[in-house]
Amino acid sequence: MGEHPTESGCSAQPAGAAPVLDPAAISSARWFAGKGREIADATPADALAVPGGDGASLLLVDVTSTAGDVERYLVPVSRDGVLLEAEACEHALWPALAHCITSGGRIEGVAGAVEARPGTDTIVVPPGARGLTPDQSNTSVVLGESLVLKCYRRLEPGTHPEPEVLAALSGIDCRVAPSYAGSLVYRDREGRETDLALLYGYVDGTPVGWEAIIASLTARLGSPDAEALVEEAGALATAAAALHVALGEALGVVRASADDAARLEDDAHRQLDEALAALAPDDPLHALSPHARRRLQGLRRLTGAPLTRVHGDLHVAQFVRSPHGLVAVDFEGEPGRPLEQRRLRTSPLRDLACLLLSLDHVAVAAARRHAFEPAMLAAAQAWSSAAREHALERYAAATAGIGLVVDRDLLRAFEVEKECRELLYAATVLPEWLYAPQATLPRLLGVT
């Protein structure tokens, strides 16, 4: 590894000529969002040499598809121009970036500069690094089993919700979210800001994960042992409630207007239209459209309800079992939505809807592993009904003290809205996932 920069030395001069990038290397990267699109050009918009990073640089790369779409990516590269991923965890780049954050450093580029925004605690970057479980869209490296450096790969101008939320929660000593240690922000010459990286406290524990809970339920279907996973659902809901209480305290609560409710309902209907248009003409889900639209009218009940910042993508795999209890992670919000939309206050019931649907998806996946054998499908549906009811009871009990009412009609409307988004994603991006919304949506609508 290269040497760490001193606190007074975490500032770099503008980088020299940027390396020539291989578009094929970008198009094959797991974080590249333009899968299926051919790259016409990949041009560095800025190059920033990282002090103490053994010659590594941060490239801000504008990727243009043959269709003319332009997306900006953060591409860390070695001195030889090799793209650096979390698998190259021993590279000096990662601790150097973390040190720049904790020391409040600045890295000068050609078209702008990277500025550090450290947390309030004094932090020494520990030795040792490893890649975190591979992310789909970002690169995360664990440093010394105490910190995580997350580099955002696809970039958008504006404030990213994750550093913003974690910084606010750290200010109230929230125990159900990771601690905030700082972030890196790129500021161009016109003053526009883009979040590049986040440094936060590593949560030591076992991820709940999709595979683990699906495999566990698959093995227990039809057995009394499945009851333990019902209790797990209750624990997840209690942690979600604690998170929502903390978010309200840290970032404030307002009341929804009739206009808020109308905009949300209009957006949900547009999303349903897009999802149905993406399905095959003979897909039986087309017949459910009138039922879905009636359910979505329940979003009108949002008027007057409390709104606050939420997690935004709170499914079962967003929790880690730590020695101190469940902790929610990955506060990036819902993938595919612009940053500003992810930062809007909304009903905490939207998070709860996401969590409940993920329980349904776990059940459907377990039934699928039993080839949807009727007895096993019935057992899976019975488990999801019991798990979601227990989760609802635990959530309502944990939020009663702050006056958050679990309006079940509004909650069901949020569930239908969320499942329409799942349907659209499956139909357009991940066809092998289509079985889950196809099985879940009819049950949500009471049409089975």
Side-chain angles (χ1 to χ4, degrees):
M1 286 190 181
E3 293 183 357
H4 290 184
T6 63
E7 293 206 7
S8 61
C10 191
S11 180
Q13 295 303 311
V20 176
L21 295 173
D22 178 10
I26 293 177
S27 64
S28 62
R30 68 169 181 269
W31 41 260
F32 179 57
K35 297 293 190 297
R37 287 182 290 167
E38 186 178 350
I39 294 177
D41 184 55
T43 303
D46 207 344
L48 305 104
V50 179
D54 194 23
S57 297
L58 297 179
L59 304 185
L60 275 61
V61 180
D62 289 334
V63 178
T64 305
S65 72
T66 53
D69 302 317
V70 181
E71 296 172 343
R72 178 164 289 188
Y73 289 87
L74 177 66
V75 183
V77 296
S78 69
R79 67 167 71 246
D80 301 320
V82 176
L83 275 63
L84 293 174
E85 305 288 0
E87 290 78 7
C89 58
E90 291 301 314
H91 199 283
L93 169 69
W94 313 115
L97 286 175
H99 182 85
C100 187
I101 292 173
T102 60
S103 64
R106 177 182 173 90
I107 305 173
E108 292 292 340
V110 176
V114 168
E115 302 172 355
R117 295 183 178 168
T120 56
D121 295 335
T122 300
I123 295 174
V124 176
V125 179
R130 64 176 175 85
L132 197 61
T133 302
D135 298 298
Q136 292 298 312
S137 58
N138 298 302
T139 296
S140 297
V141 175
V142 181
L143 301 168
E145 301 302 309
S146 64
L147 294 170
V148 178
L149 176 71
K150 176 189 280 189
C151 292
Y152 301 117
R153 304 308 291 257
R154 185 179 179 182
L155 304 177
E156 286 185 60
T159 301
H160 195 289
E162 190 167 33
E164 181 182 31
V165 166
L166 291 188
L169 290 176
S170 287
I172 62 166
D173 192 28
C174 175
R175 301 300 177 89
V176 288
S179 61
Y180 173 79
S183 61
L184 287 178
V185 178
Y186 178 79
R187 182 193 292 268
D188 68 18
R189 300 303 181 209
E190 284 71 45
R192 293 183 294 259
E193 294 186 350
T194 301
D195 282 291
L196 301 184
L198 167 69
L199 189 67
Y200 65 91
Y202 172 64
V203 181
D204 185 18
T206 305
V208 173
W210 284 110
E211 176 55 31
I213 193 170
I214 291 170
S216 184
L217 181 60
T218 300
R220 301 180 190 194
L221 269 185
S223 161
D225 291 344
E227 181 65 25
L229 293 179
V230 171
E231 290 301 320
E232 171 103 324
L236 292 170
T238 300
L243 176 62
H244 291 150
V245 171
L247 285 166
E249 180 183 348
L251 290 157
V253 178
V254 299
R255 294 286 167 175
S257 68
D259 286 343
D260 293 327
R263 281 193 296 270
L264 182 60
E265 185 184 2
D266 288 345
D267 182 61
H269 282 290
R270 281 194 298 272
Q271 197 155 243
L272 174 59
D273 290 337
E274 290 178 27
L276 293 174
L279 294 174
D282 59 347
D283 193 298
L285 288 184
H286 285 287
L288 299 183
S289 176
H291 303 281
R293 295 192 192 283
R294 280 195 294 273
R295 279 294 186 181
L296 290 176
Q297 290 176 1
L299 295 173
R300 300 170 189 175
R301 299 174 67 89
L302 184 68
T303 302
L307 306 180
T308 187
R309 293 293 291 273
V310 299
H311 181 281
D313 193 28
L314 197 63
H315 51 71
V316 296
Q318 301 286 39
F319 290 90
V320 174
R321 298 185 193 91
S322 80
H324 308 291
L326 287 162
V327 177
V329 295
D330 290 336
F331 284 74
E332 296 182 47
E334 190 174 20
R337 287 187 179 270
L339 289 184
E340 281 307 306
Q341 288 188 20
R342 294 189 239 167
R343 295 179 62 233
L344 294 175
R345 288 186 176 93
T346 189
S347 170
L349 296 185
R350 209 169 187 178
D351 268 356
L352 181 59
C354 185
L355 180 59
L356 295 178
L357 281 175
S358 69
L359 298 173
D360 290 338
H361 293 162
V362 166
V364 171
R368 186 172 184 250
R369 294 186 182 186
H370 285 282
F372 292 112
E373 192 274 324
M376 291 294 99
L377 177 58
Q381 291 174 341
W383 177 84
S384 65
S385 295
R388 62 165 39 240
E389 190 60 34
H390 187 54
L392 274 168
E393 291 172 357
R394 292 281 294 272
Y395 184 88
T399 55
I402 62 168
L404 178 59
V405 177
V406 179
D407 181 330
R408 294 209 177 196
D409 287 336
L410 177 58
L411 176 63
R412 181 52 56 96
F414 277 127
E415 289 183 84
V416 173
E417 179 222 13
K418 173 63 176 173
E419 198 66 345
C420 287
R421 293 201 299 274
E422 292 289 326
L423 181 62
L424 177 60
Y425 175 78
T428 58
V429 178
L430 196 65
E432 59 267 34
W433 172 243
L434 196 55
Y435 75 89
Q438 283 177 329
T440 303
L441 193 54
R443 290 194 72 208
L444 283 178
L445 297 174
V447 184
T448 55

